[in-house]
Structure formats: C-alpha cells, structure tokens
Amino acid sequence: MNRLLFLIVCLLLVGKGFAQNSFTVSGYVKDATTGEALIGANVYFKELMKGSTTNPYGFYSITVEEGQHTLIASFLGYKDHSVTISLNTNLRINIELRPSAFETGEVVITDERENKNIQSTQLGRNELEVEKIKSLPAFLGETDILKTIQLLPGVQTAGEGNSGYYVRGGGPDQNLILLDEAVVYNASHLFGFFSVFNADAVKHVSLTKGGMPAQYGGRLASVLDITMKEGNSREFHAEGGIGFIASRFTLEGPIKKDTSSFIISARRTFIDLFLREPFISKESDASGNSYYFYDVNAKINYILSDRNRIFLSGYFGRDVFNFTNTNSGFSVRIPWGNATTSLRWNHLFSDKLFFNASLIFSDYKFRFRAAQQEFDFGLYSGIRDYNTRLDFTYFPVISHQVKFGMNYTYHIFTPYNASARSGETIFDLGDPVRLYSHDVAVYLNDDWDITDRLAISSGLRISGFQHIGPFNRYLFDFTGNHITDTIVYMPGEQVAGYLRAEPRFSARYNLNLSSSVKASFTRNYQYIHLAAIGSVSLPTDIWVPSTDQVKPQRGDQYAAGYFRNFKNNMYETSLELYYKEMHNQLEYSEGHQPEDDVMNNIDNDFVSGKGWSYGAELFLKKTRGKMNGWIGYTWSKTERKFPELNHGNTFPAKYDRRHDVAIVLNYELSSKWTIGAVWVYATGNALTLPQNRFFLMGPGNLQTSLQNPFIYSGIYNEPGNRNSFRMIPYHRLDISATWKRKTSKKFESSWNFSIFNVYNRYNPYFIYFNDSVNETTGTLEIQAKQVSLFPILPSVTYNFRF
C-alpha cells in the first residue's frame, strides 16, 4: 500500500519539470442545443495532432509548450469547433458543439482523429450511440440496451426468457453493471425479456470486456458503464412512447438556465389491464393472473461555480406478479426489483487535477409469498450496498493521463430466508440470515504515450475484502444432518479476510495512421458471487459473499488484437484473440435443493472449481452514411472442471458456444423513413439430459404397473455427462421501419413498426420428456419435446417529442 501511495506522489510531480515553458488549456465540452456534457469528445491541437478526450463529465485538460496553436474539438455527429489561441498563460476554454446538419441523410465527418479504436490502448471496448440503439428492431417495440450489447462479438445472450448475458466465457455475475456509478444487481424485467434501462433517460453506453482499467474492479468478465442524461439546461422538453405492452414518458428542462437542470423518466407495462374482465373471462385458465413492471429514472445537477458541480440521480424499478384463485383461496405475490441513488461532487483542484467524490446506494430485493386459507409461506432474499468513491484524474503533460483513487463498499447480503405459519402456529425455520462484509480498493492507472507509435496503459489495483459478524458457523456431524456445535462471531468480528493485488497492463503500437496492434493482461478478483440452482438466470438467484468456505474468484485474461480502419475511418475492423483462466468458480453441489439452506450455512452446499475460455472475435463496422451497422462473429470455447461434479471430468460450461454471429443494419431511405434489420445465429446451448431412465415398481409387469399408481412407485433418471448435449442452433431475423411524421419547431413524432422473428423460427427454450404407453404393444415410449417461446411477433410503437 505504501508503495502505491509513493507511485502516486511521483506521478503528481511528473508535470513539474515541464512547467517552465508549458501552459494548460482546460474546460468542458457541451452540446450547444441541450447543454449536456459530451463524453469522449476529441480535443486536440492541430499542429501536434495530439490532445485528449473528455471524461464522463465532459472535462478535458491539455498541457503543451507556449506558442500559437489551433485548438480543435470534435465529436461524432457534431460539427467541428476550431479556435486559434496564443498560449502564454493557462486558459479555460469551454466549448459547445452543434449537431451536424443532415443532408441526403449523411453526416459528414472531417475529423481525422475519429479513430479512437486505433489510437486507444484498450482492447475489447465498445461504445454505443443511444440514437442508433433506438433505430434497431425491438422486441414488442421496447428499445433494449442489454439486447443491443448482446449483438457485439464476445457477448452472448442467455437465450429468450433468461436474464443476464455472458462475456468471454464468464457467468452473468461476472459482469459489473453500473448506472451513474451505482451497481445494478438484476438488470432485467419480465425474467429477461426487457432490460431495466429506459433508453430515453440514457446518454452514454460503454462496454469493456478486455484490458479493464484499474478504476474498475470486483468482477472478472466485463464492465457495462451507463450514464444517465443530465437534462436540458436550455429549455423544457417532453418525450414519450406508447407501445403494445408499455408506455413511457420523459420530462426535462432547466431549473436555472445554464446552471441547473433535471430529467425524470417513467415507464410502465399494462399487461395486467388485459388479464382481467372483459378481456379474460373468469373461467379462463389465465384468470387470476396479473403481471406488470414499472421503473423511474430521475436526475438533477447544479453548477455551483466554475470549479464545483453536484449531481444527484436515482433509479427505482419493480416487477410484480400476482395470482389469485378465489375458489380455492390460493394466492401468490412475487415482487422484485432494484433501487439506486448516486450523489456526486466534481471539484477542480487545479486545471490539471480533476476530482470526483460519490456517495452511492444500491439495493436489490426478491420476495415470494403464497397463501391458502390459513397457511402462509414466504421467501425473501436480496443485497444492499452503501458505497463511497474518491476518484482523481491528473493531466501532468500531453502524453500522460493519471487516474487514482479509492472506493469502499459495505455489503449486506440476505440469502434465502423463509417464514411459514398455519393459523396461529408459526413454524421455526431459523432466524433471518444476513451476512455483512467490507469491500475496499485503492488504484492507480497511467495512460502514457511513449512515442507517436507506442502507448501503454499500466495500472495496479489493491483490493481487500472482509466478511464480518454477526455470524453463526454451524458444524455438523459426519452425516451432515445434525448440528454438533456453533461458532458465534460477534458484530464486527472478522470471519474471513482477503487482500489481493490486481495488475493491469495494455499496450498499443501504431503500424500507420489507419492500423495498430494491441496486447493486454488483466488480473481481477471477485469477492461476491451469484448462486443459481437452475440452468437459467432468474430473479430467485442469490448473491453471497466470500467467506472462510468460499474463496474469491480470480481471473487472468490475455488478449491481443489487430485494428484497421478504411476510407477515412468510415469502416472499422478488428480481430481480437483472448485466453482467460478462472479460479474458484462456484456451483451448487449435486442434488442441492433450496430447502437444504434452512437451518444451515448456505456456503456449506457450494463446490468450487476452475474454468478457462479462449476465442477469436471479428468485427466490421460502418460508422456513417445512409447505411450503417456492423457484423460480428465469435468463435469460442469455454470449459469447467470441478472435483465434485461430473466425476471430476472436464465439461463444457452451460454458456459454451462455438459460433456466434450478429448482423446489424440501418438504412435511411429518406428524411422520413429509416429501416433496420438484425439477424443472429448461435450454436445451441449446452445442457444435461438423462442417459438412462429407470422405473421403480412393485410386483407386476411394466404395463400393469404403469396403469396402477399403487404399484408404480416412481422414475429415476440417470443423468448423462454434465452439459454433454446440445440444443439445436438458435437463429432469428428481426426487421423494423421508422416513419418520422412532419415536424414543427414544437412537436415531432414517429411510428415504429417492428417484426420479431420474421421467419417464425421455433428456437428452443427448454426440453422435457413425455412418457406414454403404447396400448397395442404394451411398451413404454419416451419422447423428448422442445418448448419454444416466441413465434413471429409484430409490434407498433408511437413516439413523440415536444
């Protein structure tokens, strides 16, 4: 730790030797029409062709020698801004960029530095434009950020009806999902059919799947960093949409013009309105069902002074499923969802030192309650975080950008907790279980352009984790059925502690102005884990901490890539190769059931093993013009090995896919019509099926035993090797068309027409076995049957803005 602090001090002194004849230009880059900060805008000196990009708050800082310079700011889709300056003192230059004029549907970009994919040292990083996401075909008309990132190479969908996504062989819990720096633990509505992110409230989306910078940690696979809009600080606007299953509305505007603004965005489904009379009769099988979800995003910001700004943002969302049968008195209610709050303060200590402090709250809850007459049963789980971050960015010279800081999180885990009663009788299912932990990290990262051709990004993250009391460790006899002793840990007392170093390194070498090669190594530790019983990710999955029984996961990723642009950066291409090793991977033991966790430590039922993944990713993207989009292809292999699973033999991970293809196209027919298409193909999911089926019977022959329930006593399935079977390949075509109606200065609208699964492909959701007796031959026939979710589905959405 002391060595890391020493390195930080040394780097802060780097700029001193350049101070005599050097000066700093700094400021903010904004959208001229809305006042929104532009993230990742290029700001550079034309004579040097060197500069910087704006940070997540739109700030830039460049230090060069005194003299006459031409400062240029550019951003994709905006007109360049150019100003000539005589640099003989430090200058503050705030820049406003105006959106480019659309002529014949094409945005003309002249900036030669729009080649961040070539110049950046990062591998496996993708940034998505929200407006492009909105123009893609959407399931039932709802724009979905998570579904869009699953179209990128190296990112695999968990399948229809599943939440979560898989990146380079990692599980869904190995993805860090941030909304304004707050962790989102369950990012899906409706069991994975929709994401929790309302695109109307989102400004910027970036995905990092390799070469992760040191400021990020706590996950092995990827970082999905989503930034909410700040709100228009110039004038009031409202927008919304009405679709087949949901409606949304957003309001934004200035609180004090050019000083403070707000945005609030809400969304709700209305499926529940059609699951009642007169749409559903009381005699229908669907009678009594009710489901809906809703979410709200809100944000305000205030510019206190030229050096101080504050931001307050929040998200709240819930899914609610209800079922009631009035005849039997049976009812079920299942609510679940996320809540986050982020309070951030920006401060400029100097033109070279940018500081951000954050206080963050994250909460995820799952509840289940069933009742019939006098009997009542409940189940609940969740995780809650209190987090603080201190982040510094230092710009000593034009060739260095140094980031350092710390973050601390206090976790409260609520694994499976159950309650039950019958009338006045309350069943003893154990005391409510909560697990507590401290999670802390300090980091340092330096981006250094050594020469015009060679650049490196080197970082070090020191992370620590401590599982603390109150906690009871149960000790069992040799049968594992009876508690023989209990170790009691008092509040704050350490149960287990870990301290780990996470080095990060990546390098880029420019072959010429339009191509480069890159390589990286990243080590990550993950101290919290998602435990899932089933083969798909569901809201019932639970988060648990590292303990004395559960060790932190470790991931080492090696990556290399070749990047090449064509036709003045109109076409971007890349080939990336990766190899990843994963240690201390977590699974439930064979045959585990949820009731096993009652009156027990949940980590007693886990087993650990290792995994590895390797693959190649091809990417071709057209960035501008009437037609744009991308083609992505991934070849990969992911395997696991657990001593206690599959007889200790290696087996494919459930998200092992040999081939993944995505083709995404957008075409602007005219100023009024835009069409889009998405085609995806993926190797079928791996799954475990029984290789033998035994019928346990009493006296009698097979036919009479099957016909007599008092003789037939059950079925035993002998499972085959773990994940040794494959479903048929998944593929699907979606298309959309957007018609923009005649607009005025105050009102504009559009209609979006989408067709999901155009050629009506019956993609597999799961497989089950159907048993029947052939009455003619008296033999038992077993047939595997496939369940599919969605046939061809058209949708229409009306969008408006005023």
Side-chain angles (χ1 to χ4, degrees), residues 31-273:
D31 183 311
T33 58
T34 65
E36 289 264 5
L38 295 178
I39 303 172
N42 284 317
V43 185
Y44 64 100
F45 289 111
K46 184 177 181 180
E47 295 79 8
L48 303 174
M49 288 303 292
K50 290 183 179 181
S52 180
T53 57
T54 55
N55 71 5
Y57 302 95
F59 179 78
Y60 74 94
S61 176
I62 309 172
T63 299
V64 294
E65 293 183 357
E66 66 177 318
Q68 198 83 2
H69 299 281
T70 303
L71 183 69
I72 296 178
S74 66
F75 193 66
L76 189 63
Y78 288 76
K79 295 179 180 178
D80 291 357
H81 174 90
S82 177
V83 60
T84 300
I85 58 175
S86 180
L87 191 60
N88 52 23
T89 186
N90 294 334
L91 296 177
R92 177 64 55 82
I93 301 179
N94 294 325
I95 300 170
E96 295 187 353
L97 299 182
R98 295 190 174 277
S100 301
F102 283 77
E103 297 180 3
T104 66
E106 183 171 350
V107 183
V108 179
I109 303 294
T110 59
D111 177 29
E112 296 178 358
R113 298 192 77 255
E114 291 294 341
N115 57 350
K116 285 187 284 187
N117 64 315
I118 302 293
Q119 297 296 325
S120 170
T121 56
Q122 281 193 278
L123 287 91
R125 179 179 171 86
N126 299 95
E127 296 185 356
L128 297 174
E129 301 171 52
V130 176
E131 292 306 314
K132 291 288 179 66
I133 294 175
K134 289 182 177 181
S135 65
L136 296 178
F139 177 66
L140 294 178
E142 279 298 303
T143 300
D144 197 320
I145 290 173
L146 287 188
K147 289 290 188 293
T148 304
I149 70 165
Q150 292 167 15
L151 301 173
L152 297 170
V155 185
Q156 299 170 348
T157 175
E160 290 174 359
N162 297 329
S163 62
Y165 57 93
Y166 310 112
V167 177
R168 291 186 172 180
D173 65 319
Q174 295 176 357
N175 302 310
L176 179 62
I177 303 176
L178 301 173
L179 178 65
D180 274 2
E181 298 186 9
V183 176
V184 178
Y185 282 100
N186 186 301
S188 297
H189 285 306
L190 191 55
F191 303 101
F193 294 123
F194 304 101
S195 78
V196 300
F197 304 112
N198 183 350
D200 289 348
V202 172
K203 176 168 68 173
H204 185 261
V205 179
S206 71
L207 175 71
T208 303
K209 52 191 175 167
M212 194 182 296
Q215 66 263 33
Y216 295 117
R219 301 294 189 275
L220 300 190
S222 74
V223 179
L224 179 63
D225 199 345
I226 298 174
T227 304
M228 287 175 54
K229 291 179 179 177
E230 298 163 6
N232 194 313
S233 63
R234 304 286 167 84
E235 55 188 7
F236 287 94
H237 279 287
E239 65 178 308
I242 302 172
F244 268 10
I245 67 165
S247 294
R248 63 190 191 278
F249 184 77
T250 301
L251 180 65
E252 60 179 328
I255 298 174
K256 182 179 181 182
K257 190 173 182 180
D258 291 326
T259 302
S260 179
S261 63
F262 77 94
I263 182 171
I264 183 167
S265 185
R267 179 174 58 162
R268 192 193 191 279
T269 58
F270 38 79
I271 305 173
D272 54 316
L273 301 180

Side-chain angles (χ1 to χ4, degrees), residues 473-691:
R473 169 64 67 193
Y474 300 115
L475 303 179
F476 290 81
D477 63 13
F478 69 97
T479 67
N481 296 321
H482 302 287
I483 298 175
T484 60
D485 199 2
T486 302
I487 302 175
V488 178
Y489 293 90
M490 301 305 293
E493 184 179 356
Q494 177 174 300
V495 180
Y498 302 94
L499 183 66
R500 298 290 187 267
E502 305 176 35
R504 317 283 173 84
F505 180 82
S506 59
R508 178 266 298 156
Y509 184 79
N510 285 338
L511 301 174
N512 50 49
L513 292 177
S514 60
S515 64
S516 66
V517 290
K518 304 180 186 181
S520 71
F521 168 76
T522 305
R523 169 166 290 182
N524 293 74
Y525 281 93
Q526 180 168 330
Y527 298 99
I528 65 174
H529 320 265
L530 186 66
I533 294 179
S535 59
V536 298
S537 299
L538 293 171
T540 52
D541 298 345
I542 60 172
W543 289 91
V544 294
S546 294
T547 65
D548 54 344
Q549 303 289 325
V550 177
K551 306 304 180 186
Q553 300 179 53
R554 192 191 88 203
D556 293 333
Q557 182 176 177
Y558 307 84
Y562 173 70
F563 297 78
R564 176 68 187 264
N565 289 0
F566 299 91
K567 295 192 69 172
N568 193 28
N569 301 313
M570 178 180 288
Y571 295 92
E572 298 178 358
T573 63
S574 64
L575 168 63
E576 293 190 46
L577 308 174
Y578 71 89
Y579 176 78
K580 182 191 293 185
E581 294 179 346
M582 293 162 282
H583 301 268
N584 299 326
Q585 301 300 282
L586 199 68
E587 293 279 0
Y588 274 112
S589 57
E590 295 279 15
H592 173 81
Q593 296 298 324
E595 57 266 26
D596 298 338
D597 297 325
V598 178
M599 303 291 289
N600 191 6
N601 298 126
I602 190 171
D603 55 6
N604 286 333
D605 291 313
F606 293 143
V607 295
S608 64
K610 61 182 179 179
W612 52 90
S613 179
Y614 52 91
E617 301 168 3
L618 284 167
F619 191 51
L620 168 63
K621 181 180 181 181
K622 187 172 185 289
T623 60
R624 59 185 188 269
K626 280 191 172 184
M627 176 174 284
N628 54 72
W630 68 81
I631 300 174
Y633 169 73
T634 304
W635 183 97
S636 63
K637 190 171 185 177
T638 303
E639 294 180 313
R640 296 286 188 268
K641 188 173 184 178
F642 287 69
E644 292 87 357
L645 301 180
N646 202 46
H647 309 292
N649 298 320
T650 300
F651 59 89
K654 61 185 177 184
Y655 30 84
D656 173 55
R657 303 262 183 85
R658 201 66 67 246
H659 305 283
D660 249 300
V661 182
I663 301 175
V664 180
L665 297 175
N666 247 330
Y667 184 70
E668 190 168 357
L669 289 171
S670 66
S671 59
K672 291 185 176 181
W673 282 97
T674 302
I675 59 175
V678 172
W679 184 78
V680 294
Y681 172 91
T683 300
N685 284 344
L687 74 160
T688 305
L689 296 179
Q691 62 181 5

